[in-house]
Amino acid sequence: MDRVNATTPSASSADDPARAAFAALRTPEGEQLLAELRDHDPADELATATRLRRTHPAELVSAALGQARLRQRAVAKFGAEDAYRMYFTPNGVEQATRTSVAAHRAARFAGLGVRSVADLCCGIGGDAIALARAGISVLAVDRDPLTAEVARTNAEALGLADLIEVRCADVTEIDTAPYDAVFVDPARRGGRGRIFDPEAYSPPLSWATAAALKAPRAALKIAPGIPHEAIGPEAEAEWISDGGDVKEAVLWYGEGFAPGAFRATLLPSGATLSAPAPLTAPPVGPVGRYLYEPDGAVIRAHLVADLVERCGGRLVDETIAYITSDEPYSSPYVAGYEITDELPFSMKRLKALLRERRIGVLTVKKRGSAVEPEELRRRMKLSGPGSATVFLTRVAGAPTMLIGHPLG
């Protein structure tokens, strides 16, 4: 059988330099070095390394500097309090779930009474940590020995070892029957970067789906750009954004979820929008006084038509996710703007208008335009106390500029 979630062959710590380096970091000397490097400036790394190698082994200094860099990167996902107590691998930082998203997912499980989860392909343990903090006991499984050691260490460092059992094993060999739910986070990166074909995930989406359908409840973490046709009718599909950025999609299976439904959830507010089935195509019409930019999760979930219906508006173009209306509309799912000008696309005309109005700060948004925002701002040679937002888009198929300012 192919190893569906392996990155390195099994080896003892003594035979694996990466695991040996990790073991050294957990010694008193290694922990002291990491504490000293907490706030170090990566720009001064060469001088720092030279200084530290006078009193510490070179291999330990290199490992500590690498781990310090990873912890600094991890702060964005885990927060400083956790990140500086945890350990990471390069892939682990890249692929780990942001804490806010993992906590949302754990809360959905906990709200349905789930008390035990088999976390397959657990990585460095980000989701296992969130599940444990929601009061759920977790079996966290990863095939890579170093990754499993890191996950186990993180559970201990955060005081969650009683709720998280880490097992180094092939996920295809795990009996998930004793658990209330299954969570699968397939690897979506390979040697050449991101993997876009769901069947090229490790494990493939088809395997993960089969594992999910065997469990009372399950969740599969997938890339937000997954084609909708790759989602089976048994799943409730949820797209999650955090602070306006789409972070991931989740397929939910089992009791308590809505098969075939699409959902968009916005964090940190927790606002969620769902529809049981794809809606009919929304109307298209002329640009009104107001323009609304839907959150990316709403767009990915194909729920723009729902917002068009709610605000009594229309699309500016059948292929563009900008909504317009003649009356103001407030919703957590859109950013609203009042439009003052609608012009055919022309750099020259835009520059003249901005100069006339003394616009010194310009926000550039685009959909359906090849123009790069930074290039446009450079060519405008902005000057003045005013500010404005310009939308580069298409209206009824024609390249158009819409100028306005945010509502509120």
Side-chain angles (χ1 to χ4, degrees):
M1 177 183 294
D2 290 338
R3 294 183 299 155
V4 297
N5 64 326
T7 55
T8 62
S10 179
S12 69
S13 178
D15 297 331
D16 185 339
R19 291 178 68 194
F22 177 63
L25 289 176
R26 298 179 63 199
T27 64
E29 184 180 9
E31 290 177 352
Q32 177 188 343
L33 265 178
L34 286 174
E36 183 177 339
L37 290 169
R38 172 176 172 137
D39 299 317
H40 95 287
D41 185 349
D44 298 330
E45 189 161 298
L46 181 58
T48 301
T50 301
R51 174 176 57 82
L52 292 176
R53 283 171 180 159
R54 297 189 188 113
T55 52
H56 301 281
E59 295 82 359
L60 179 59
V61 171
S62 295
L65 284 167
Q67 189 61 223
R69 288 194 301 270
L70 294 176
R71 283 181 167 182
Q72 289 179 347
R73 286 174 56 194
V75 168
K77 286 188 174 183
F78 290 89
E81 185 176 351
D82 282 353
Y84 286 111
R85 290 190 289 166
M86 295 172 66
Y87 292 83
F88 301 94
T89 64
N91 284 340
V93 170
E94 189 69 36
Q95 299 185 28
T97 303
R98 181 178 293 263
T99 292
S100 56
V101 178
H104 163 72
R105 188 164 42 237
R108 287 202 77 182
F109 269 140
L112 292 170
V114 170
R115 290 294 171 262
S116 62
V117 170
D119 178 0
L120 308 181
C121 311
C122 68
I124 55 93
D127 280 282
I129 290 165
L131 290 164
R133 284 175 168 167
I136 298 171
S137 63
V138 185
L139 171 66
V141 184
D142 203 282
R143 178 69 179 263
D144 178 42
L146 173 60
T147 302
E149 281 188 38
V150 172
R152 186 177 297 110
T153 301
N154 287 339
E156 294 169 355
L158 299 180
L160 299 169
D162 289 345
L163 284 169
I164 301 174
E165 174 195 350
V166 178
R167 190 178 303 175
C168 183
D170 190 321
V171 297
T172 63
E173 299 172 357
I174 298 299
D175 178 12
T176 61
Y179 299 89
D180 296 340
V182 167
F183 172 64
V184 188
D185 180 5
R188 296 181 301 282
R189 284 185 176 271
R192 298 183 179 180
R194 291 185 183 275
I195 297 171
F196 296 98
D197 178 7
E199 283 308 295
Y201 291 173
S202 180
L205 182 60
S206 57
W207 181 91
T209 301
L213 292 173
K214 295 177 184 176
R217 295 184 179 92
L220 309 184
K221 176 181 171 182
I222 54 174
I226 186 172
H228 280 219
E229 57 269 21
I231 300 171
E234 310 92 347
E236 173 191 308
E238 179 182 28
W239 282 261
I240 303 170
S241 69
D242 189 2
D245 295 327
V246 181
K247 295 302 179 183
E248 66 178 59
V250 188
L251 303 183
W252 298 94
Y253 299 83
E255 185 179 351
F257 305 111
F262 288 172
R263 177 185 298 271
T265 298
L266 281 53
L267 300 177
S269 71
T272 188
L273 181 70
S274 63
L279 303 174
T280 57
V284 179
V287 177
R289 182 176 177 181
Y290 302 98
L291 189 78
Y292 306 101
E293 181 182 28
D295 184 271
V298 173
I299 296 172
R300 294 281 193 176
H302 292 187
L303 294 174
V304 173
D306 186 87
L307 290 181
V308 172
E309 184 176 287
R310 287 172 182 239
C311 75
R314 53 201 176 268
L315 297 181
V316 301
D317 185 280
E318 64 181 0
T319 64
I320 303 293
Y322 283 141
I323 303 169
T324 188
S325 72
D326 303 309
E327 301 294 333
Y329 172 69
S330 178
S331 166
Y333 307 107
V334 298
Y337 300 82
E338 184 172 8
I339 299 301
T340 57
D341 301 88
E342 177 183 356
L343 303 167
F345 177 78
S346 166
M347 288 278 200
K348 184 176 181 179
R349 292 185 66 177
L350 180 61
K351 185 175 182 179
L353 184 147
L354 297 177
R355 181 182 300 165
E356 175 187 337
R357 297 183 184 173
R358 303 181 65 203
I359 300 298
V361 177
L362 183 67
T363 300
V364 182
K365 293 178 172 289
K366 68 168 193 168
R367 285 205 178 120
S369 171
V371 177
E372 290 300 325
E374 288 304 321
E375 172 65 12
L376 182 140
R377 271 191 289 265
R378 185 186 66 79
R379 293 178 62 178
M380 291 301 102
K381 298 181 179 178
L382 301 168
S383 177
S387 63
T389 300
V390 60
F391 295 86
L392 308 178
T393 188
R394 294 193 302 271
V395 174
T400 303
M401 305 181 299
L402 303 175
I403 297 97
H405 54 81
L407 290 175

